[in-house]
Amino acid sequence: EPEVTQTPSHQVTQMGQEVILRCVPISNHLYFYWYRQILGQKVEFLVSFYNNEISEKSEIFDDQFSVERPDGSNFTLKIRSTKLEDSAMYFCASSIGSGGSTGEQYFGPGTRLTVT
Amino acid sequence: AQSVTQLGSHVSVSEGALVLLRCNYSSSVPPYLFWYVQYPNQGLQLLLKYTTGATLVKGINGFEAEFKKSETSFHLTKPSAHMSDAAEYFCAVRNNAGNNRKLIWGLGTSLAVNP
């Protein structure tokens, strides 16, 4: 069964460093998402991406964040200068479409980012 | 704006007992509703969803949920808990119209199943 994969599973970085979190969505999916979950808090939407551009982003997704689909398979989240409060589990998701049953989002296992 | 409230951050049941995890939502438009499960060290897996039609929806692993518009609820149930059901359960809502496709999540409920 096809699945969303994410690498690395755990990333430790120092404050101020740049990190790139990688995701490989399911191959025939067209919509891509990033969510994050700070320990003990709700899962929060960060950004959605379709047709090589951001379709929606949350207030969290400021200029420090960017997303890219550099080739036909990867979907990346870059944090330019990490802060302590960026420590969280980051989930990538993808869906075939945007509405109805095709809008079902499939999630990867997550990348735990720890900023020290 | 949409929101989700899950009553009870921790629920503990005995093996074989009824599982009831509560979810209430707020939405100004007809919602799509979801339950996801997260097993330790794993990703978020869809248990079941309500989009339109029948209000009682069945999911994987014997779980089901009923959409009650009048109560703005989407509680998750399973008649008989199994040890393997121990996990974190998340209720989520999504707008079913327009270009807004993001999921809005509850805080989650940690289910413990005791032998």
Side-chain angles (χ1 to χ4, degrees):
Chain A
E1 185 176 332
E3 58 183 18
V4 177
T5 59
Q6 290 185 244
T7 53
S9 56
H10 192 189
Q11 172 93 45
V12 181
T13 190
Q14 288 190 326
M15 196 166 52
Q17 295 296 304
E18 174 183 287
V19 294
I20 297 177
L21 309 183
R22 291 183 165 79
C23 169
V24 179
I26 295 173
S27 62
N28 63 336
H29 285 191
L30 301 176
Y31 292 77
F32 314 110
Y33 312 83
W34 282 102
Y35 293 83
R36 78 172 185 189
Q37 184 183 27
I38 295 171
L39 190 64
Q41 298 186 24
K42 293 185 179 185
V43 177
E44 302 171 290
F45 168 79
L46 291 178
V47 66
S48 60
F49 191 86
Y50 169 70
N51 199 25
N52 284 319
E53 60 182 26
I54 291 172
S55 48
E56 186 183 5
K57 61 182 181 179
S58 71
E59 291 176 355
I60 303 167
F61 195 89
D62 61 21
D63 292 344
Q64 293 298 315
F65 291 88
S66 62
V67 288
E68 193 178 29
R69 188 152 163 83
D71 51 43
S73 59
N74 290 281
F75 179 52
T76 61
L77 174 68
K78 182 193 290 185
I79 308 175
R80 224 163 263 118
S81 178
T82 51
K83 302 188 281 285
L84 292 176
E85 53 264 38
D86 294 327
S87 295
M89 180 72 89
Y90 288 80
F91 292 104
C92 173
S94 68
S95 63
I96 294 175
S98 63
S101 60
T102 65
E104 178 180 330
Q105 294 175 29
Y106 292 79
F107 284 80
T111 292
R112 179 162 296 286
L113 176 65
T114 302
V115 182
T116 62
Chain B
Q2 295 176 308
S3 66
V4 174
T5 302
Q6 289 184 243
L7 290 175
S9 58
H10 298 278
V11 170
S12 182
V13 299
S14 299
E15 192 174 18
L18 171 72
V19 175
L20 170 61
L21 304 182
R22 298 179 187 274
C23 173
N24 288 88
Y25 71 91
S26 169
S27 179
S28 58
V29 297
Y32 285 174
L33 294 157
F34 306 82
W35 275 99
Y36 283 84
V37 60
Q38 185 179 28
Y39 298 102
N41 301 315
Q42 294 188 30
L44 296 158
Q45 182 182 5
L46 182 67
L47 264 183
L48 50 79
K49 64 185 177 185
Y50 168 79
T51 54
T52 57
T55 55
L56 180 64
V57 293
K58 295 184 186 300
I60 60 172
N61 303 337
F63 283 92
E64 60 183 39
E66 186 171 10
F67 169 58
K68 291 187 177 181
K69 185 178 177 182
S70 61
E71 299 177 8
T72 61
S73 69
F74 190 57
H75 301 330
L76 182 70
T77 60
K78 181 173 180 177
S80 177
H82 193 271
M83 296 294 288
S84 60
D85 293 328
E88 189 85 15
Y89 291 80
F90 295 92
C91 182
V93 63
R94 198 187 87 206
N95 195 330
N96 72 349
N99 295 318
N100 184 337
R101 296 290 181 245
K102 65 184 178 187
L103 288 167
I104 306 298
W105 299 80
L107 260 175
T109 298
S110 178
L111 176 66
V113 181
N114 306 309

